[in-house]
Structures are given as structure tokens and as C-alpha cells.
């Protein structure tokens, strides 16, 4: 069996990715990387990460190399071009940081309990590799050695990663990972960073295109003379339009303490959402609560891979032992 996890030291990104855990084996379609300190989803057919990196990196680089220098040449002060270049660079670094954080953070994988096993195994063992084997309907997971209904964790089996994800929101092909309890905040910060990056490149392009004279023909002449700035303006304008809508949608979901999965399924359409504590409390919870540790750091210990007592009864969402 796999050995127990050893403590991992490192920066905040490393602690966020695995919560200090060291992973020793494949989990669903996740593969251990970086010496086992993070998990990467092997979902090439469902991933657009290459396009994400291209769209995040190429426009700002063009802006910094081909748009900001001409502004500096034409400006009587270095303050404006230095500010524009600095803001674009900072948002680029921030965007890449949160993109990597979302990609490499274990989203909150839960161990699936197989309650429909054959008689030989007495109906109480864990799925090998924490996966849904395709032959059973997943109803319960193991959390700190106890059986819990997946509804209590707001969890769902992710088809793309073949794992049950805690507080599942959605699978995002742009980051190549499931979005769940442990990486949702990084996903939102990634959206905010991309919005800031797009806005800063867009404004820089506008400044580059703006002619010295406020005449209609001067604007047409200026756009024709600066095709790179025009292209960056149009590209970032499209990005701003789409990303603003996406961020607004998720900001609304945070405000009502609902996941994308729950909204799409209409989970709370006919009943009160027990997780909704009000606008202020929901945002405080989202922004201030510590990122929970990975449950996999516990379940990889052989001591927790135990058989459960067959005398169980359903109490609310969880299964408790009969005395």
C-alpha cells in the first residue's frame, strides 16, 4: 500500500495546492506531479489550457513590447508609460499565479464509499483509486473515517476527472481542472486578474490609438496606422464583455451561497438554501475562511482504509453506527 504522507514545506501556492500532502498514486484521472506535492488532471481531450496560456500571455507581451514604448517616445513624461507598463505587468503576473493555482490545486477530492460491493468484501470497501467504477451509483463518501452522503458535502462525480469533488461547482476546460471547495476562490481571483489584465491592455491600446486631433478622419487614420494596438483593443474588448458576464454570474452565486451545479440543477428552487447566511456573511465566508486541507492526505494513510460496520442506519445526511 502507499505510505503515509510526509510534511511538505514551501510557499503559499504549494500549501494551497495540496494542503501539505504528498500524493503517491493516481487518483481518478489525476496524476501526482512536482514530487507528489500537487495533482494534475489528465484531461487533454477536455482541456483548453494551451489556449488559455496563449490568450493570457501573448496580448500583454505585444502590449508591453509594441504599444507601451511608442507611448513613451511620444510622451513628455515617463510617468504615463511607466504606469501603464507596470499595471499590465502586475496583472500578467497575478493572472499566471492564480491560473497555476487553480490548475494544480487539488479541488477537494472525496473518497467514494462502495456500499454495493459483492458478498466476498461484505459491502464495505473503498473504490480503488477513489474513482467511480461506472457500475455503481455513488451515494456516499468517506470524510475523516466516516460515511457521509454526498449531498451533505454538496459533492458530485466529475465526469471529466472521474472523481467525486467536494462542493463541486463545475469543470472548467480553460484551466483543465474541476472547480470545487479547495480551488473555487483561486478561480474567482483568476477571473478578477484576467479582467484587470484585459482592461489595462485595452486602455493602453486606446491611448496608443488616440490621435492628437479630435476629428473623425483623424481617428480613422490613427487606427490604420496602429494595427497592433487596434487588434489588442478589439481582442480585449471581446474578453471584457465575456468575462464581465462570467464574473457577475459567479459574484451573484457567491452572494446567495450557491454553486454553479446547484443553480443549473435548481437544487434550491423549491426549498430554502441552508447555506445562505446573507450577502455580507456569504462574502466574508468566501474571502476570509481558510482553505481547507486535502482529505486525501488522511485517506492515503492505510489506517483509514478500513471496513465499515454493516449495521448502519441513515441519520440525516450521514451514516452512523448502531449501538
Amino acid at each position: 500500500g502507499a505510505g503515509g504522507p510526509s510534511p511538505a514545506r514551501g510557499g503559499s501556492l504549494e500549501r494551497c495546492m495540496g494542503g501539505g500532502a504528498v500524493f503517491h498514486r493516481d487518483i481518478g484521472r489525476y496524476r501526482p506531479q512536482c514530487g507528489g506535492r500537487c495533482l494534475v488532471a489528465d484531461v487533454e481531450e477536455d482541456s483548453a489550457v494551451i489556449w488559455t496560456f496563449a490568450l493570457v500571455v501573448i496580448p500583454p507581451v505585444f502590449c508591453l513590447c509594441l504599444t507601451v514604448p511608442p507611448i513613451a517616445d511620444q510622451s513628455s513624461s515617463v510617468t504615463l508609460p511607466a504606469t501603464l507598463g507596470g499595471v499590465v505587468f502586475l496583472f500578467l503576473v497575478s493572472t499566471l499565479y492564480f491560473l497555476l493555482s487553480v490548475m494544480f490545486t487539488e479541488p477537494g477530492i472525496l473518497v467514494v464509499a462502495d456500499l454495493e460491493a459483492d458478498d466476498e468484501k461484505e459491502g464495505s470497501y473503498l473504490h480503488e483509486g477513489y474513482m467511480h467504477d461506472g457500475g455503481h451509483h455513488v451515494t456516499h463518501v468517506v470524510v475523516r473515517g466516516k460515511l457521509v452522503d454526498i449531498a451533505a458535502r454538496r459533492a458530485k462525480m466529475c465526469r471529466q476527472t472521474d472523481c467525486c469533488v467536494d462542493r463541486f461547482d463545475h469543470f472548467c476546460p480553460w484551466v483543465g481542472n474541476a472547480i470545487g471547495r479547495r480551488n473555487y476562490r483561486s478561480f474567482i481571483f483568476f477571473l478578477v486578474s484576467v479582467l484587470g489584465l484585459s482592461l489595462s491592455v485595452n486602455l493602453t491600446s486606446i491611448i496608443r490609438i488616440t490621435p492628437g486631433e479630435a476629428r473623425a478622419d483623424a481617428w480613422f487614420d490613427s487606427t490604420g496606422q496602429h494595427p497592433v494596438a487596434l487588434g489588442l483593443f478589439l481582442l480585449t474588448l471581446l474578453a471584457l464583455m465575456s468575462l464581465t458576464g462570467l464574473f457577475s454570474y459567479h459574484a451573484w452565486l457567491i452572494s446567495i451561497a450557491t454553486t454553479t451545479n446547484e443553480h443549473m440543477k435548481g437544487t434550491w428552487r423549491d426549498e430554502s438554501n441552508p447555506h445562505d447566511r446573507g450577502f455580507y456573511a456569504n462574502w466574508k465566508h468566501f474571502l476570509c475562511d481558510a482553505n481547507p486541507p486535502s482529505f486525501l492526505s488522511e485517506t492515503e494513510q492505510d489506517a483509514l482504509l478500513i471496513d465499515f460496520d454493516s449495521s448502519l442506519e441513515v441519520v440525516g445526511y450521514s451514516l452512523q453506527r448502531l449501538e
Side-chain angles (χ1 to χ4, degrees), residues 10-26:
S12 58
L13 179 58
E14 181 178 291
R15 291 195 299 271
C16 177
M17 291 188 298
V22 176
F23 307 106
H24 302 283
R25 53 178 170 175
D26 294 351

Side-chain angles (χ1 to χ4, degrees), residues 109-113 126 130 140-148 153 166 181-182 290-301 303-306 308 318-319 321:
I109 300 172
L110 298 173
V111 178
V112 173
L126 305 184
Y130 315 104
H140 291 80
V141 293
V142 180
V143 178
R144 298 191 177 97
K146 297 181 181 179
L147 285 175
V148 180
R153 304 296 309 187
D166 195 16
R181 187 180 299 274
R182 298 191 67 250
N291 200 43
S294 172
F295 287 120
L296 296 181
S297 63
E298 301 176 6
T299 55
E300 281 213 334
Q301 301 178 44
L304 288 181
L305 299 182
I306 59 176
F308 296 98
S318 62
L319 290 177
R321 298 182 186 279

Side-chain angles (χ1 to χ4, degrees), residues 44-305:
E44 292 184 3
E45 66 277 15
D46 296 305
S47 176
V49 172
I50 298 299
W51 285 103
T52 303
F53 274 102
L55 291 172
V56 164
V57 174
I58 294 177
V61 169
F62 271 58
C63 179
L64 292 172
C65 296
L66 301 177
T67 304
V68 174
I71 294 177
D73 293 338
Q74 297 176 357
S75 177
S76 58
S77 172
V78 298
T79 303
L80 177 61
T83 301
L84 292 172
V87 171
V88 170
F89 179 77
L90 287 176
F91 273 119
L92 174 59
V93 172
S94 173
T95 300
L96 290 175
Y97 174 86
F98 286 114
L99 173 59
L100 293 174
S101 177
V102 177
M103 287 176 57
F104 294 136
T105 296
E106 184 268 288
I109 300 172
L110 298 173
V111 178
V112 173
D114 189 346
L115 302 181
E116 303 178 19
D118 52 38
D119 294 337
E120 180 182 349
K121 296 189 178 180
E122 300 179 355
S124 55
Y125 67 98
L126 305 184
H127 279 309
E128 177 65 25
Y130 315 104
M131 297 186 297
H132 179 212
D133 63 1
H136 300 291
H137 176 64
V138 176
T139 59
H140 291 80
V141 293
V142 180
V143 178
R144 298 191 177 97
K146 297 181 181 179
L147 285 175
V148 180
D149 192 292
I150 61 172
R153 304 296 309 187
R154 308 167 76 180
K156 181 181 181 293
M157 286 298 304
C158 177
R159 175 182 60 82
Q160 291 84 357
T161 62
D162 203 15
C163 284
C164 187
V165 179
D166 195 16
R167 198 183 181 276
F168 179 80
D169 192 85
H170 68 287
F171 176 84
C172 179
W174 295 102
V175 301
N177 198 3
I179 308 301
R181 187 180 299 274
R182 298 191 67 250
N183 64 350
Y184 183 68
R185 181 161 48 196
S186 293
F187 173 75
I188 297 301
F189 288 166
F190 168 65
L191 287 182
V192 173
S193 297
V194 175
L195 274 170
L197 182 62
S198 300
L199 181 60
S200 59
V201 172
N202 188 272
L203 292 177
T204 303
S205 302
I206 291 176
I207 292 174
R208 176 60 177 146
I209 295 173
T210 302
E213 302 177 29
R215 293 182 294 105
D217 58 341
W219 276 97
F220 284 111
D221 292 341
S222 182
T223 55
Q225 293 170 3
H226 308 297
V228 173
L230 177 62
L232 290 175
F233 168 76
L234 295 175
L235 178 62
T236 53
L237 181 62
L238 291 174
L240 284 170
M241 293 170 61
S242 59
L243 291 172
T244 299
L246 181 60
F247 173 75
S248 300
Y249 172 68
H250 280 281
W252 173 68
L253 291 179
I254 295 170
S255 301
I256 61 175
T258 302
T259 67
T260 300
N261 180 56
E262 290 169 343
H263 177 241
M264 293 299 180
K265 294 193 305 182
T267 303
W268 312 118
R269 183 178 297 124
D270 300 322
E271 56 183 302
S272 175
N273 181 358
H275 309 286
D276 187 359
R277 292 171 286 186
F279 179 88
Y280 174 77
N282 291 339
W283 273 98
K284 182 180 179 181
H285 172 72
F286 168 75
L287 293 171
C288 301
D289 279 16
N291 200 43
S294 172
F295 287 120
L296 296 181
S297 63
E298 301 176 6
T299 55
E300 281 213 334
Q301 301 178 44
D302 292 340
L304 288 181
L305 299 182

